[in-house]
Amino acid sequence: MKRKTCAALALLLLLTGCGAVNSADTESVDAATEEAASVSTAEAEASGSDVTLESVTKEAAAEASDSAAAAESAAPEEPASAASAEVTLEDAKAAALAHAGVEADAASFTQARLHRGGTAYEIEFTTTDGEYEYELSAESGELLSYQWEVQGKDAATGTVPDNLDSAKALALSHAGVAADAASFQKEKLDDGVYELEFTTANGEYEYEISRETGVILEYEWKVQGSSAAAADSGASDADQTASAAVTAGQAESIALEAAGLAEGDTKYLHSYVEWRHDAPYAWCVEFGVKNTEYVYLIDLEDGSVLEQYVESH
């Protein structure tokens, strides 16, 4: 009789301790408990012990509870969540501001978040003179890529340019670009103002400089770059510029022809190299006609139209 009692209790402990008790199993457990209790009561009556059905049932339930608790304590712990980024969002914002040379109180952030599966920070902010976009590693804080679109006025240089070469030198110095890394698409004197446009491997620069005072009347940068890519490749700006078979002027002509327009029809016309995945991707040509804006992406090598966007206001 004791063997039958132990078997019934074992069944109860097995089902309960393993967490496998469902609605169907509960009936089996209850039956086993009642059988065990009945057998134990009969044995107790035979031996003269004062044992009731209720006390046996409670004892069996207590043993089952102890078994379940032991099983729970032995269960493996849940794996720890992935480690958070070593560089904080505030660190990334501060690094972007420092690289751009912008004071914190002069910047208005429009985007500041983790992206690329939590491996990089995307930082975007504006100032009174332009827009800045940055990507930084969330692990090391390394600058992955950046883009500036900046305009400014009345930037004094302290030098009066008396010819185009000195005006070009002023523009290059202000932009922090070496002469052998720049390719000039426009350089002329018009009504006392030097108008200059040049490109590097990372983008496009436009300047207007007063011939009389040497003051930079207006400048615009559309620059993208990757410190990691430059370090890995070891290529200079000049080398990367030369690798593009299509020039900025050719890209503009291709885009205008695709739109069925002439340069004289446009209110403005800009072009710069757009980078994707830390590499030059295409010429981005932007122009406007009346209330319509056009954007074309032109292949750097064969001049084909990769993408086009037209928006009317």
Side-chain angles (χ1 to χ4, degrees), residues 12 15 33 61 81 90 93 97 101 115 130 170 174 185 193 218-219 237 262 274 291 301-302:
L12 172 63
L15 293 173
T33 303
S81 59
E90 293 304 314
K93 291 166 66 176
L97 290 171
H115 75 143
L170 283 176
H174 182 268
Q185 278 74 47
V193 175
E218 185 172 346
Y219 69 94
D237 285 348
E274 179 170 314
N291 296 325
E301 300 302 321
D302 61 19

Side-chain angles (χ1 to χ4, degrees), residues 228-307:
D232 291 342
S233 67
S236 68
D237 285 348
D239 293 336
Q240 294 184 39
T241 301
S243 66
V246 177
T247 67
Q250 291 172 333
E252 291 172 358
S253 297
I254 293 169
L256 288 169
E257 183 179 355
L261 299 168
E263 183 175 353
D265 299 328
T266 65
K267 296 185 298 183
Y268 63 88
L269 176 62
H270 306 302
S271 58
Y272 60 95
V273 174
E274 179 170 314
W275 285 54
R276 292 187 183 179
H277 306 296
D278 298 336
Y281 174 69
W283 283 109
C284 180
V285 180
E286 302 174 351
F287 52 92
V289 177
K290 296 182 179 179
N291 296 325
T292 303
E293 297 180 355
Y294 299 80
V295 178
Y296 281 80
L297 295 184
I298 308 299
D299 189 275
L300 295 169
E301 300 302 321
D302 61 19
S304 60
V305 177
L306 301 177
E307 301 175 34

Side-chain angles (χ1 to χ4, degrees), residues 67-271:
S67 177
E72 183 177 353
S73 63
E77 296 182 359
E78 291 293 326
S81 59
S84 59
E86 296 183 11
V87 177
T88 67
L89 181 60
E90 293 304 314
D91 292 337
K93 291 166 66 176
L97 290 171
H99 181 272
V102 173
E103 297 293 334
D105 57 2
S108 176
F109 285 89
T110 56
Q111 184 82 272
R113 66 185 181 95
L114 270 173
H115 75 143
R116 292 192 182 183
T119 62
Y121 285 108
E122 182 180 27
I123 308 295
E124 298 179 9
F125 59 91
T126 61
T127 65
T128 56
D129 63 352
E131 302 175 359
Y132 302 77
E133 299 179 8
Y134 278 83
E135 280 189 344
L136 301 100
S137 168
E139 182 178 351
S140 64
E142 178 188 7
L143 176 63
L144 301 178
S145 67
Y146 66 94
Q147 177 178 352
W148 295 0
E149 293 188 15
V150 183
Q151 291 183 321
K153 292 184 182 294
D154 300 328
T157 63
T159 303
V160 178
D162 55 3
N163 54 46
L164 273 171
D165 287 339
S166 57
K168 289 163 62 178
L170 283 176
L172 291 170
S173 175
H174 182 268
V177 173
D180 59 359
S183 175
F184 278 84
Q185 278 74 47
K186 183 178 182 180
E187 44 183 294
K188 71 174 184 177
L189 178 63
D190 184 9
D191 196 21
V193 175
Y194 291 107
E195 298 179 2
L196 306 171
E197 295 181 8
F198 59 92
T199 61
T200 68
N202 296 336
E204 181 183 85
Y205 302 76
E206 298 180 11
Y207 278 83
E208 291 187 2
I209 302 175
S210 169
R211 181 183 181 181
E212 286 188 16
T213 64
V215 168
I216 297 176
L217 303 175
E218 185 172 346
Y219 69 94
E220 181 176 350
W221 294 1
K222 291 186 177 180
V223 182
Q224 291 182 324
S226 169
S227 58
D232 291 342
S233 67
S236 68
D237 285 348
D239 293 336
Q240 294 184 39
T241 301
S243 66
V246 177
T247 67
Q250 291 172 333
E252 291 172 358
S253 297
I254 293 169
L256 288 169
E257 183 179 355
L261 299 168
E263 183 175 353
D265 299 328
T266 65
K267 296 185 298 183
Y268 63 88
L269 176 62
H270 306 302
S271 58

